[in-house]
Amino acid sequence: MYKIKYLDIFASEIAEFLGLKLIGKDFVVKYPSSVNNFGNKAFLYLSENDTIPEKKIKRHKDVLILTAKKLSSKHDGLSYIIVDNPRVKFINVLNEFFVEYDSVVISPSAKIDANARIGYGVSIGENTVIGPEVIIGNNSRIMNNVVITGRVRIGNNCFIKHNSTIGSTGYDFELDEDGKLIHFPHVGKISIGDNVWIGANTCIESSAIDDTVIEDNVKIDDLVQIGSNCVVKKGTMITAGAIISRQVVIGRHCLIAPNASIRDSVLIGNKVTIGIGAVVIRDLKDKGVYAGNPARLLRKRKEEQQSHDKK
């Protein structure tokens, strides 16, 4: 997945990459760290409520910090860069200087049907199964023991973690005249956009007739169930353990918290936050924060929560 790059990077190079001024002396930065475990030549960031452990700073030399405001500490070994949103800038620097993906490899143990269409720069892990009607875009990475079957199209730059299943038939039964449960055949497609993250042990079911759709830039955590005929619109985040029943539509830039459950055929508006363990049984309007069982409106989403919601 990711590997650390061991390079000698000067603090001034990081400041130049960010287009900002380095405050303090220049030195070689050796590794990224957290505010709790840094040592000599570390690189870290301060969140809004973080404080610098003064005693620890005194014991170490050459520490580079990304911070949203000027620091009061005057230690010789401390340099810093003032940035908007230190965590985001820290991630940008990590990706530029400190980490890289593993090599692009298609494992010999992967079972890829000859009719599947695989783009360039795609990695496929051990024991992964790719069916004949699957299309995978460029530079996507699929980890070990993933199963992708049926009529599935996956976009560019996607990341699919271990043990996930995409294209399993949906759980859709009806009672016939004799009281026997019969299964609705699922013959639809799954369409997954670009830059989508799908967590480990996640299941995305194929549609009955209409498409199951995951739009661009959706991020799905581990252990998530997405039922057939669902639509998840761009920029939405679904966190661990969420259950999305069939025919649910989730709007743009929503946040579904851990272990939330959404019943079938519910419509979720844009920029909605659903709290931990919430049970959604009816449609939810735009820009609300909802929680509870059944989920109820707590408040409108704050504007700062929506700052990333660019159309």
Side-chain angles (χ1 to χ4, degrees):
M1 192 167 153
Y2 293 110
K3 295 191 301 185
I4 289 287
K5 289 194 291 189
Y6 295 97
L7 301 174
D8 287 343
I9 305 297
F10 280 90
S12 58
E13 292 181 82
I14 293 174
E16 183 179 0
F17 168 72
L18 295 172
L20 296 168
K21 179 182 177 182
L22 174 66
I23 301 172
K25 71 174 185 177
D26 197 11
F27 53 85
V28 171
V29 177
K30 289 290 188 182
Y31 64 97
S33 180
S34 71
V35 70
N36 298 315
N37 295 298
F38 66 86
N40 296 335
K41 300 188 179 299
F43 167 60
L44 57 137
Y45 73 95
L46 294 180
S47 294
E48 182 179 356
N49 297 319
D50 287 337
T51 58
I52 302 172
E54 294 288 338
K55 292 182 180 179
K56 194 166 186 179
I57 281 286
K58 291 178 181 178
R59 296 198 305 269
H60 297 292
K61 296 180 179 179
D62 300 342
V63 177
L64 176 64
I65 298 177
L66 300 186
T67 175
K69 57 188 177 182
K70 186 176 180 179
L71 298 180
S72 59
S73 295
K74 300 295 184 180
H75 304 299
D76 292 339
L78 174 63
S79 297
Y80 62 96
I81 303 168
I82 299 175
V83 299
D84 294 329
N85 202 331
R87 179 177 169 82
V88 168
K89 296 300 190 294
F90 184 80
I91 293 169
N92 291 339
V93 172
L94 288 187
N95 284 322
E96 179 69 15
F97 296 109
F98 292 102
V99 299
E100 61 185 353
Y101 279 116
D102 291 333
S103 300
V104 174
V105 172
I106 295 181
S107 171
S109 66
K111 186 176 180 180
I112 304 170
D113 192 277
N115 292 313
R117 293 163 55 187
I118 310 296
Y120 65 80
V122 172
S123 286
I124 299 176
E126 295 181 7
N127 303 311
T128 286
V129 177
I130 310 291
E133 297 181 280
V134 174
I135 301 171
I136 300 174
N138 301 326
N139 301 311
S140 289
R141 291 178 173 266
I142 300 165
M143 306 304 285
N144 302 329
N145 303 306
V146 173
V147 177
I148 307 174
T149 60
R151 301 163 66 195
V152 177
R153 177 187 290 270
I154 297 171
N156 302 317
N157 303 303
C158 292
F159 190 83
I160 302 171
K161 291 174 68 176
H162 308 289
N163 304 306
S164 288
T165 301
I166 300 172
S168 61
T169 192
Y171 184 83
D172 192 352
F173 292 88
E174 293 290 341
L175 285 169
D176 67 9
E177 296 83 354
D178 299 322
K180 179 182 178 182
L181 285 169
I182 58 173
H183 185 255
F184 194 123
H186 283 58
V187 295
K189 296 183 292 184
I190 295 177
S191 177
I192 296 174
D194 297 336
N195 304 303
V196 171
W197 177 290
I198 298 172
N201 297 289
T202 284
C203 180
I204 300 175
E205 293 180 348
S206 61
S207 62
I209 296 174
D210 298 326
D211 291 358
T212 298
V213 179
I214 311 295
E215 293 188 353
D216 295 349
N217 300 306
V218 168
K219 311 301 180 187
I220 302 169
D221 201 355
D222 301 346
L223 299 165
V224 170
Q225 161 74 17
I226 297 180
S228 62
N229 296 82
C230 285
V231 176
V232 182
K233 296 187 177 179
K234 68 178 183 179
T236 281
M237 299 175 67
I238 303 174
T239 59
I243 298 175
I244 318 297
S245 301
R246 63 187 177 94
Q247 295 180 324
V248 171
V249 177
I250 301 176
R252 300 187 302 275
H253 304 296
C254 294
L255 173 61
I256 314 299
N259 297 316
S261 300
I262 303 175
R263 69 162 293 171
D264 58 289
S265 304
V266 164
L267 175 63
I268 309 295
N270 299 319
K271 301 180 181 179
V272 167
T273 296
I274 298 174
I276 293 174
V279 178
V280 180
I281 61 172
R282 59 179 62 91
D283 295 352
L284 303 182
K285 296 181 180 180
D286 292 353
K287 300 182 180 180
V289 177
Y290 297 85
N293 180 7
R296 294 180 174 86
L297 178 65
L298 296 182
R299 62 181 184 275
K300 288 292 187 179
R301 267 175 61 161
K302 296 179 181 179
E303 287 303 315
E304 58 264 28
Q305 290 179 291
Q306 301 168 22
S307 62
H308 72 292
D309 298 343
K310 297 180 180 179
K311 295 182 178 179

